[in-house]
């Protein structure tokens, strides 16, 4: 054996490889149900049971039970022991709390973006704007909704604070149900125009303009609540259920 070669290898610094995390069965059940609640495939007051979900998804009831508990903690399910579990009503209080959290975090993030954004980061955001234009042209509201989230997340990432989006994600679902109810062709175009205004302010390094554009964009939810409550009043509650 070549002892010199062996010695050289031992002296080389190599990283310890960590196993790639895999979503658990409970995570997959949670993600599938949450997505259907947020897109209103499972609208408010829909009855849902562990037995039915486990049968449809081909899993045992334990991961479904864990997913139900997580959804209930986030305010998307009402679990009543010895009674039916239902998709929760849309809480106006929780929507407004989510708006407050998003404005507090994202306004600071966009100001940071104005200071640190790179040409590569600008290219990434411009690419998302181009994809949003295509979604608007096709009136593909689910695609636009996903790209809307991607745009906001990318601003966090390009600001060097990608973890902020993780903090936003858990609360924003209460706003998402409102957005899905209101996301017609006109609303998509307006949101796109607002995204363009935000990006223009970031590109030109104008933090106050970017902050003002962000506040205007996220505050539009106030008008949407009133409009959608008038059309779907049975889906709303003013406070906790």
């Amino acid at each position: 054996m070549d002892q010199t070669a062996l010695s050289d290898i031992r002296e080389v610094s190599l990283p310890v490889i960590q196993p790639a995390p895999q979503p658990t069965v409970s995570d997959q059940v949670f993600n599938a149900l949450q997505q259907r609640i947020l897109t209103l495939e499972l609208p408010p007051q829909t009855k849902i049971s562990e037995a039915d979900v486990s049968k449809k998804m081909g899993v045992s009831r334990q991961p479904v039970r864990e997913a139900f508990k997580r959804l209930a903690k986030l305010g998307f399910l009402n679990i009543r022991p010895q009674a039916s579990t239902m998709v929760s009503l849309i809480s106006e209080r929780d929507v407004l709390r989510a708006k407050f959290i998003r404005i507090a975090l994202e306004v600071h993030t966009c100001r940071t973006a104005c200071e640190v954004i790179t040409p590569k980061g600008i290219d990434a955001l411009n690419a998302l704007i181009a994809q949003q234009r295509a979604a608007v042209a096709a009136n593909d509201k689910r695609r636009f909704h996903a790209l809307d989230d991607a745009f906001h997340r990318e601003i966090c990432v390009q600001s060097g604070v990608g973890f902020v989006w993780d903090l936003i994600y858990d609360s924003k679902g209460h706003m998402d149900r409102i957005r899905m109810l209101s996301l017609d062709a006109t609303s998509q175009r307006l949101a796109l125009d607002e995204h363009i205004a935000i990006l223009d302010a970031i590109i030109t390094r104008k933090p106050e303009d970017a902050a003002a554009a962000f506040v205007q964009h996220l505050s539009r939810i106030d008008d949407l609540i009133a409009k959608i409550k008038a059309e779907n009043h049975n889906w709303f509650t003013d406070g906790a259920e």
Side-chain angles (χ1 to χ4, degrees):
M1 179 180 293
D2 187 339
Q3 293 296 324
T4 301
L6 181 60
S7 177
D8 288 345
I9 284 293
R10 287 177 174 174
E11 292 172 3
V12 172
S13 176
L14 293 172
V16 175
I17 303 299
Q18 300 294 333
Q22 296 293 328
T24 65
V25 173
S26 178
D27 289 337
Q28 294 177 65
V29 174
F30 171 85
N31 290 334
L33 292 176
Q34 184 189 43
Q35 184 64 22
R36 283 155 181 79
I37 290 170
L38 299 186
T39 59
L40 301 168
E41 288 180 62
L42 290 172
Q45 297 185 301
T46 300
K47 291 184 179 180
I48 183 171
S49 74
E50 291 178 11
D52 288 341
V53 171
S54 63
K55 182 177 180 179
K56 288 181 78 70
M57 299 191 74
V59 299
S60 68
R61 291 181 65 164
Q62 182 57 34
V64 176
R65 185 173 300 116
E66 293 171 3
F68 273 30
K69 288 179 180 178
R70 288 174 64 188
L71 289 165
K73 186 175 181 180
L74 291 173
F76 297 123
L77 283 185
N78 287 330
I79 300 176
R80 296 186 174 92
Q82 312 305 320
S84 61
T85 294
M86 297 176 64
V87 176
S88 66
L89 296 171
I90 298 172
S91 167
E92 184 175 354
R93 183 197 64 178
D94 287 341
V95 172
L96 295 177
R97 284 181 174 179
K99 184 194 80 168
F100 183 91
I101 291 168
R102 290 197 66 174
I103 288 176
L105 293 174
E106 293 194 68
V107 164
H108 186 66
T109 298
C110 77
R111 285 195 174 107
T112 302
C114 290
E115 298 172 1
V116 304
I117 194 80
T118 64
K120 185 177 179 180
I122 291 170
D123 288 345
L125 290 168
N126 271 321
L128 287 168
I129 291 293
Q131 293 176 60
Q132 287 176 38
R133 283 197 177 98
V136 170
N139 194 21
D140 186 344
K141 72 176 187 177
R142 291 197 181 186
R143 174 68 173 155
F144 184 84
H145 178 79
L147 289 166
D148 186 323
D149 278 356
F151 179 79
H152 286 261
R153 178 183 179 276
E154 193 65 29
I155 291 174
C156 295
V157 171
Q158 296 303 332
S159 301
V161 290
F163 65 89
V164 168
W165 186 251
D166 297 330
L167 299 174
I168 291 167
Y169 188 82
D170 281 346
S171 66
K172 81 179 187 69
H174 297 287
M175 295 178 72
D176 285 344
R177 292 201 283 179
I178 297 286
R179 290 166 63 203
M180 289 304 297
L181 279 167
S182 66
L183 208 54
D184 57 16
T186 299
S187 180
Q188 289 175 63
R189 285 191 295 270
L190 179 56
L192 173 59
D193 289 343
E194 290 169 346
H195 288 166
I196 292 170
I198 291 167
L199 181 54
D200 284 347
I202 290 173
I203 291 171
T204 54
R205 314 282 178 173
K206 296 177 179 176
E208 294 310 313
D209 288 353
F214 243 113
V215 171
Q216 179 180 350
H217 177 54
L218 293 175
S219 294
R220 191 156 51 86
I221 197 78
D222 296 338
D223 294 331
L224 294 177
I225 290 173
K227 178 177 181 292
I228 293 169
K229 277 182 71 175
E231 298 169 352
N232 304 274
H233 63 277
N234 290 333
W235 283 4
F236 280 81
T237 177
D238 289 334
E241 293 177 72

